[in-house]
């Protein structure tokens, strides 16, 4: 995959942790994760979902292993998956040991809900011997404020964040004592301020790479806002090495949203066209939403990373979208085709989309590619 | 409106600028703006849209004034609007003067496209005399890189940001010379890194309040990601005093997205229920998306700010959503109703939504309200 990180913010320096053929941390490209929502023991359905997610740009996949039936399916999944597979384990250290035996490229545990301390040590030692990584994931939901700690309402997330960081670092220290070096941390609060505060505080106190996410983020439209703010803020500060957008919805949408976030921050080079379009106002004389939808539909699947503008105003449009490689500005009867802010020619209003697509095809046929 | 800022990040200190009865800056609650997409001269349609947006929580509205017909409609709009009205002017300083006469609560100009320098000074003086604010809005689209400035691809946005800040501050200085004090700045790049870099750089160099936005952000699904990252990152750093999510789509969605961003950062107290829900995984035995949709539909319109969890796992759900005031965790045959992480009772799978709604009604009827 052609990741080209170019966001100027200096990324936090971390140790390097390998998961299969993907590097997490050490300023490697930020990877996108998702989680299968099939039953893990249904190997065909699970592999089909993984394969589709990989095709959409997912770099690492996680599968829940809630029981032995799921654990027994893992070897066939890890053997056939096109991307590294991480086993997600709750409560039972024996399932984690089975997952490591099954060839998982990593395991994700929350030591807070794995009560068997000796079992937990076995997991760390087995992972270390197998050379795979362990994500130690702490959720605000699993932290119980200590006795005697009065939590002021307005500072709640700062104090919760501090508890989460202290807990995560204590767990990591225990894992290191068992010889484990390949550790990734996550500190997911159930709200955005807690999540941001926890990662910011942890960033200064360790060199572990971070898995970013906002937990229980909700249905897609709500999750996207919460996740984009939580994950985006941290990435824009140089914090975060692998991300997962979690939503109550199809994993395909999780991957799409994750990639959109990286592209928005220029942490991943777009593989296809990027569309910018104006919000319209009283100046607009065309049905711009319909025009944008048509353009989106017609450029789908193109693999040229051209920046396309669809603007609703012949007067302001070309200038305001001067960064676009190519664009159209619509008017009542006619509009303009433009390139890099310069009008190419006047076009009948009904022909604007056609003219744009023809110009993009000219660009993509080479010789006259996008300038950047 | 009940804004309760509680996000711990210290907000940038700015001068206070009043727009009608709304304060921008000086750590006043971050206000949400949108822009009418009607023809401004259609007073009835414009006022109907403003009234609906105000009902949805929009604090300030902007109307484009592209011509004299629109300017002549403004007095009736400003007189009847339930929220402050800002006139958006391009090119023609005379339209700005007409808007000020018409009782607009502010004008938004980009001095870069108002070529008549004497006319521009008249606008500043008229605004100062009328006691209204001027937003000086600089877009990356209107900046031309200076001759001799080689822009390295990977640093492009940092250098563009610097040009934008220098230009905006020069314009503001010129406005202050004419006696204008009530200035709000915006520095919108057409991509997120440029926008973030510009506002960050400007934050250290002036005390003007900032209007945040990402320009030409695209259709709703793309705009929400770009805007949430751009606006959210800055707000999470304490930067930004009023926001507008710009999208090629209905202004109602712009307002909804803007409010969702402020709520996610706890910069605005939610007026209704907040729903958190898990992303589901192999552990899930219910159609959680359908359950979430049902709950979303049935709590719509409730004005109690209760935090509701809808989880797909009877084993992990209640604990992972311990912050929720009330929640349900679904299983194959039965699930649990829980409050603050503690199971209240076992519920038949088909009755989960009913049980949740009944519990919320119990909460909202008082006596036993949400704890926070």
């Amino acid at each position: 995959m052609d990741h080209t990180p170019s966001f100027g913010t200096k990324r936090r320096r971390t140790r390097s942790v390998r998961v299969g053929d993907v590097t997490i941390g050490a300023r490697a490209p930020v990877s996108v994760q998702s989680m299968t929502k099939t039953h893990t023991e249904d190997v065909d359905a699970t592999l089909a979902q993984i394969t589709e997610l990989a095709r959409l740009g997912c770099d690492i996949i996680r599968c829940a292993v809630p029981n032995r039936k799921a654990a027994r399916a893992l070897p066939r999944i890890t053997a056939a998956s096109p991307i590294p597979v991480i086993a997600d384990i709750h409560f039972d250290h024996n399932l984690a040991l089975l997952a490591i035996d099954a060839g998982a490229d990593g395991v994700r545990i929350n030591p807070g809900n794995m009560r068997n301390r000796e079992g937990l040590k076995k997991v760390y030692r087995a992972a270390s011997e197998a050379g795979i990584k362990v994500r130690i994931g702490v959720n605000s939901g699993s932290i119980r404020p200590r006795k005697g700690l009065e939590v002021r309402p307005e500072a709640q997330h700062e104090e919760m964040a501090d508890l989460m960081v202290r807990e995560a670092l204590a767990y990591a220290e225990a894992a290191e004592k068992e010889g484990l070096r390949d550790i990734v941390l996550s500190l997911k609060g159930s709200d955005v301020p807690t999540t941001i505060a926890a990662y910011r505080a942890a960033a200064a106190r360790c060199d572990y790479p971070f898995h970013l996410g906002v937990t229980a983020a909700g249905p897609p439209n709500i999750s996207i806002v919460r996740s984009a703010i939580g994950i985006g803020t941290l990435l824009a500060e140089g914090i975060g090495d692998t991300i997962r957008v979690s939503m109550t919805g199809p994993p395909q949408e999780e991957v799409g949203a994750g990639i959109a976030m990286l592209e928005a921050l220029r942490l991943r080079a777009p593989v296809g066209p990027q569309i910018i379009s104006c919000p319209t106002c009283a100046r607009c004389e065309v049905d711009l939403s319909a025009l944008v939808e048509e353009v989106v539909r017609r450029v789908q699947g193109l693999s040229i990373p051209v920046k396309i503008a669809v603007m609703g105003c012949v007067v302001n449009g070309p200038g305001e979208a001067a960064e676009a490689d190519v664009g159209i500005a619509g008017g009542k009867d006619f509009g303009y085709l433009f390139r890099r802010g310069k009008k190419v020619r006047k076009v009948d209003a009904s022909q604007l989309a056609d003219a744009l697509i023809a110009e993009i095809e000219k660009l993509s046929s080479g010789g006259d590619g996008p300038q950047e």
Side-chain angles (χ1 to χ4, degrees), chain A residues 34-52:
Chain A
S34 186
M35 196 160 174
T36 48
K37 300 188 180 187
T38 53
H39 287 284
T40 305
E41 61 267 30
D42 184 343
V43 173
D44 290 343
T46 302
L47 277 173
Q49 192 165 76
I50 295 174
T51 304
E52 193 195 346

Side-chain angles (χ1 to χ4, degrees), chain A residues 54-300:
Chain A
R55 188 182 57 75
L56 294 172
C58 183
D59 299 305
I60 297 168
I61 192 69
R62 182 153 52 107
C63 302
V65 182
N67 49 45
R68 282 175 183 264
K69 214 157 44 166
R72 278 195 296 272
L74 262 190
R76 280 175 292 158
I77 294 169
T78 59
S81 171
I83 50 177
V85 175
I86 293 173
D88 187 86
I89 316 282
H90 282 235
F91 309 113
D92 184 353
H93 71 275
N94 287 308
L95 293 172
L97 295 173
L98 286 172
I100 294 168
D101 276 347
D105 299 290
V107 293
R108 183 267 178 191
I109 56 170
N110 178 350
N113 66 31
M114 207 163 265
R115 297 293 154 87
N116 185 324
R117 294 286 130 176
E118 286 309 310
L120 193 55
K121 287 183 188 170
K122 283 187 200 157
V123 173
Y124 294 143
R125 287 197 295 267
S128 170
E129 280 159 26
I132 69 167
K133 74 110 194 183
V134 174
R135 168 153 71 93
I136 293 177
V138 172
N139 289 345
S140 55
S142 64
I143 307 265
R144 299 282 166 267
R146 287 159 200 198
K147 280 209 181 85
L149 178 76
E150 269 304 316
V151 179
R152 288 167 298 127
E154 76 281 7
Q156 200 172 6
H157 58 268
E158 299 281 357
E159 291 173 19
M160 174 57 84
D162 183 59
L163 287 175
M164 288 166 68
V165 173
R166 279 194 269 164
E167 185 156 306
L169 294 180
Y171 290 141
E173 194 183 335
E176 297 240 18
K177 272 194 190 139
E178 304 305 320
L180 187 71
R181 190 205 148 274
D182 292 338
I183 297 169
V184 172
L185 292 190
S186 65
L187 302 124
K188 301 187 184 181
S190 74
D191 70 9
V192 173
T194 307
T195 303
I196 293 173
Y199 282 104
R200 279 179 178 163
R205 293 172 58 183
C206 65
D207 79 334
Y208 302 117
F210 292 158
H211 168 113
L212 303 185
V214 176
T215 193
N221 57 339
I222 296 174
S223 162
I224 286 182
V225 169
R226 291 184 186 155
S227 299
I229 293 184
I231 293 172
T233 295
L234 291 162
L235 288 176
E237 293 175 2
I239 296 171
D241 306 282
T242 185
I243 68 171
R244 185 221 176 171
V245 177
S246 137
M247 57 173 73
T248 310
Q252 293 82 349
E253 286 192 42
E254 295 188 353
V255 171
I259 290 174
M261 288 173 200
L262 296 184
E263 286 184 359
L265 285 166
R266 296 209 180 176
L267 285 165
R268 182 186 282 225
V271 292
Q274 277 187 291
I275 293 176
I276 63 173
S277 59
C278 77
T280 81
C281 67
R283 296 177 189 93
C284 184
E285 304 278 357
V286 292
D287 181 353
L288 197 71
S289 286
L291 192 57
V292 170
E293 275 169 32
E294 183 183 351
V295 171
V296 167
R297 189 170 38 77
R298 290 178 67 177
V299 303
Q300 216 161 33

Side-chain angles (χ1 to χ4, degrees), chain A residues 286 314 329-336 346-350 352:
Chain A
V286 292
V314 288
K332 198 169 183 176
D333 301 314
F334 66 91
Y336 287 100
K346 204 164 156 173
V347 179
D348 191 85
S350 64
L352 278 168

Side-chain angles (χ1 to χ4, degrees), chain A residues 3 11 14-33 59-60 84 86 105 133 181-184 209-210 240-243 268:
Chain A
H3 299 92
R11 282 179 60 204
T14 76
R15 69 177 69 180
S16 164
V17 173
R18 289 194 68 83
V19 180
D21 57 358
V22 176
T23 300
I24 298 178
R27 298 186 185 162
V30 177
S31 48
V32 171
Q33 304 200 17
D59 299 305
I60 297 168
I86 293 173
D105 299 290
K133 74 110 194 183
R181 190 205 148 274
D182 292 338
I183 297 169
V184 172
F210 292 158
D241 306 282
T242 185
I243 68 171
R268 182 186 282 225

